[in-house]
Amino acid sequence: MLKYILKRFAWMILTIWVIITLTFFLMHSIPGDPLDVGDSGGSAAASENLRAYYNLDQPLPVQYFSYIKNIVTLDFGPSMTSRSSTVNDMISSGFPASLQLGIASLVFSVISGVALGVLAALRHNKMIDYITMIVAVIGISIPNFIQSMLFINYIGANFDFFPVARWGTWRHVILPALALSSGPMAIIARLTRSNMLEVLTQDYIRTAKAKGLSARKIVVKHALRNALLPVVTIMGALTASVLTGSFVIERIFAIPGIGQYFVNSISNRDYPMIMATTVIYSSILVFMMFLVDIIYGIIDPRIKLHTKED
Amino acid sequence: MGIPTKQKTEHSSVPDDLFVPLNKDSAQLENIVRPSVGFWKDAWQRLLKNKLAVAGLITIIFLTIMAIVGPMLTPYSYSEQTLSNQNQPPSAEHWFGTDNLGRDMFTRTWYGARISLFIGLAAALIEFIIGVIYGGISGYKGGRTDNVMMRIVDILYGLPYLLVVILLMVVMGPGLFTIIIALTLTGWIGMARIVRGQVLQLKNNEYVLASKVLGANTSRIIRKHLLPNTMGPVIVSMTLTVPGAIFAEAFLSFLGLGVSAPVASWGSMANDALGVLNTGHWWRLFFPAFFISLTMLAFNVFGDGLRDALDPKLRR
């Protein structure tokens, strides 16, 4: 098991390094100089100073190594749009809101998705099954940015209970988290339902029934554990969709999070900020995939057998 | 073999001499009476039985036809501005109303359908080509080649796909072809994995071995045996790629990274409507939102039906 975790961990580090390198060279392959766009009319000396400030006067390999060195110490350098603050300042001011929104969405989508899926499977071809499938279809077909526009216009505008602008109380989280989690929730619900339906026909479920176990124990101990394996597998991909979805959702709901900064940094060509957000989001994502692999290894005994063969 | 006496008494109404041995040629027994139903025909028949999937297919065909002829049904062009006709609600003149620049929404909606469907189909096709070649080579060669190729895929798989797309849009500048390149840059990975898995499973089958023994070369084995048998999951994956690409385009256009004005796309039309929602111009959002959702729904339902129809486990 330890060997498996170490191997996965090494992969995670390697992937993050590849992402940092790719991002760095992609950003530096953009034709033109980022400073030419923002600073027309400055003196030559001022331009020199700015170049030195952003570390652009060095040859590319030197820049690359100093960037890597700074990232290892979690220093993302100065921002290009707001001269006074560093990227780290902006990230630490935006991170809490993004984290709240992301965690609320993930937790909500997993809990409601699994609950709906299990209920639908247990009441197969009954009312709740149809309702679940309709909710799932809506969640998959209507893009999250359209859902959030509908939420703002029809729920937020009519009920004071759900404020749609600014950020602060838990009530601010509900609507954006709902819009952000409906897609992943729909996928989880569908997957859980079909897996539960398959698992419930297995022989060991009949054996458990024959032993006289209570219905609750059969569902929780025998069926759910097996039905949730595929759900765990797609958690990495779902985290990715929540992360990228948050760019749009934060923009629509005017949430002061990193996603908002990221979108703004794209239109402002704030390269250090774009790189920092890319690296941070990728690292979170790769870390989630690492966690998924570990959890998968713990709940599925077949994975452990596989690593012994290696 | 004697017939038990008990049974004899039960059937006493039928005299024994009426029982004559069935006179059948042994050669005749081998004849196949019913026409043989091939895999594809069988899958097609099962697809037609799935009403939801058929509805999805009809919707896709309808959307495609409308994307082609829709913009021609009105006297307006997608970029023609009539400033005296701003924000008109749907009427006999402008079936879907007009936007804030007086452009006809019906024309723009179907023009947007062209863009969305084109991006979806182009992405699916390019991913198909790269994925099948990469996955096919990796799966068939096996060993060290497979190992190296799959490690590369593993790393690329860790890249968050929309981040790569956004980065590329920044580097290359927004535009239709940038979107397609950006989408396919990481999109082929899923396809390559599916093809590799299938080929790995298939290449050790007896009929491949038999074909080898009979002297078929590698290219014939791949073309005639391996690829046709991988097509089921590949087609399903392609059908589900299309809505993904359409969503990604709408998402990027919504962020302002997609097609640039005056070209219409459903995402950019929805984005334009963002600021005017509280003014009661509901048609500005409704039509692009409705058709994005309808397209996604149709492709997802059709893809699901196709998956069920092509699944050998469900084949009776």
Side-chain angles (χ1 to χ4, degrees), chain A residues 11 15 18-19 23 26-27 30 137 140-143 145-146 149 153 190 244 247-248 251-252 262-263 266 269 274 281-282 285-286, chain B residues 151 155 157-160 162-163 166-167 170-171 247 250-251 254-255 257 270-271 273-274 277-278 285 289 292-293 296-297 300 304:
Chain A
W11 264 114
T15 312
V18 169
I19 291 169
T23 321
L26 257 180
M27 297 310 297
I30 299 173
V137 163
I140 289 175
S141 321
I142 304 183
F145 55 89
I146 287 174
M149 286 163 83
N153 222 35
R190 267 168 48 134
T244 44
F247 301 159
V248 161
R251 189 182 145 197
I252 298 177
F262 185 58
V263 174
I266 291 170
R269 311 269 148 172
I274 297 179
Y281 272 122
S282 315
L285 191 61
V286 175
Chain B
R151 288 293 89 86
I155 289 178
Y157 190 73
L159 296 177
L162 262 170
L163 278 181
I166 290 172
L167 264 186
V170 173
V171 175
F247 172 76
F251 184 92
F254 190 81
L255 279 179
L257 285 170
N271 189 18
L274 181 58
L277 261 186
N278 46 10
L285 176 66
I292 297 175
S293 308
M296 305 261 297
L297 178 65
N300 274 315
D304 281 350

Side-chain angles (χ1 to χ4, degrees), chain B residues 81-275:
Chain B
Q81 302 182 5
T82 320
L83 290 175
S84 55
N85 259 341
Q86 284 174 1
N87 291 324
Q88 295 290 315
S91 63
E93 220 140 275
H94 297 283
W95 293 334
F96 288 178
T98 60
D99 66 5
N100 57 336
L101 294 172
R103 294 177 293 199
D104 183 52
M105 288 281 291
F106 185 84
T107 319
R108 283 180 73 73
T109 301
W110 295 116
Y111 190 84
R114 282 186 189 179
I115 305 272
S116 291
L117 289 176
F118 177 72
I119 288 175
L121 292 178
L125 200 69
I126 297 173
E127 284 174 19
F128 167 77
I129 295 170
I130 303 177
V132 166
I133 294 176
Y134 195 95
I137 293 175
S138 180
Y140 191 78
K141 287 277 177 195
R144 183 173 288 266
T145 320
D146 180 39
N147 239 328
V148 172
M149 285 174 96
M150 278 303 119
R151 288 293 89 86
I152 295 172
V153 160
D154 275 350
I155 289 178
L156 286 177
Y157 190 73
L159 296 177
Y161 126 89
L162 262 170
L163 278 181
V164 178
V165 173
I166 290 172
L167 264 186
L168 214 73
M169 305 295 290
V170 173
V171 175
M172 292 172 64
L176 196 58
F177 285 95
T178 319
I179 296 182
I180 294 174
I181 291 174
L183 284 179
T184 46
L185 201 69
T186 51
W188 58 272
I189 291 170
M191 186 72 85
R193 287 189 151 190
I194 292 172
V195 174
R196 171 182 172 267
Q198 288 282 313
V199 168
L200 269 185
Q201 208 176 38
L202 290 168
K203 73 171 179 187
N204 294 323
N205 278 359
E206 276 87 357
Y207 62 85
V208 176
L209 189 67
S211 178
K212 253 185 212 162
V213 170
L214 289 170
N217 58 15
T218 309
S219 109
R220 190 186 155 82
I221 291 174
I222 291 181
R223 271 186 299 116
K224 288 275 169 187
H225 295 293
L226 297 183
L227 284 187
N229 283 308
T230 50
M231 277 306 122
V234 165
I235 289 175
V236 171
S237 162
M238 272 176 83
T239 329
L240 296 174
T241 299
V242 177
I246 290 175
F247 172 76
E249 184 276 326
F251 184 92
L252 288 171
S253 296
F254 190 81
L255 279 179
L257 285 170
V259 294
S260 33
V263 177
S265 98
W266 288 337
S268 63
M269 287 166 79
N271 189 18
D272 289 343
L274 181 58

Side-chain angles (χ1 to χ4, degrees), chain A residues 130-187:
Chain A
Y130 294 128
I131 293 175
T132 304
M133 284 305 102
I134 290 170
V135 169
V137 163
I138 291 174
I140 289 175
S141 321
I142 304 183
N144 49 20
F145 55 89
I146 287 174
Q147 284 179 31
S148 43
M149 286 163 83
L150 295 177
F151 284 165
I152 288 180
N153 222 35
Y154 294 105
I155 301 179
N158 295 332
F159 301 94
D160 288 338
F161 185 75
F162 300 105
V164 288
R166 294 221 297 273
W167 192 249
T169 65
W170 60 275
R171 286 188 296 166
H172 287 89
V173 190
I174 298 176
L175 285 185
L178 215 58
L180 195 49
S181 57
S182 64
M185 183 198 80
I187 295 171

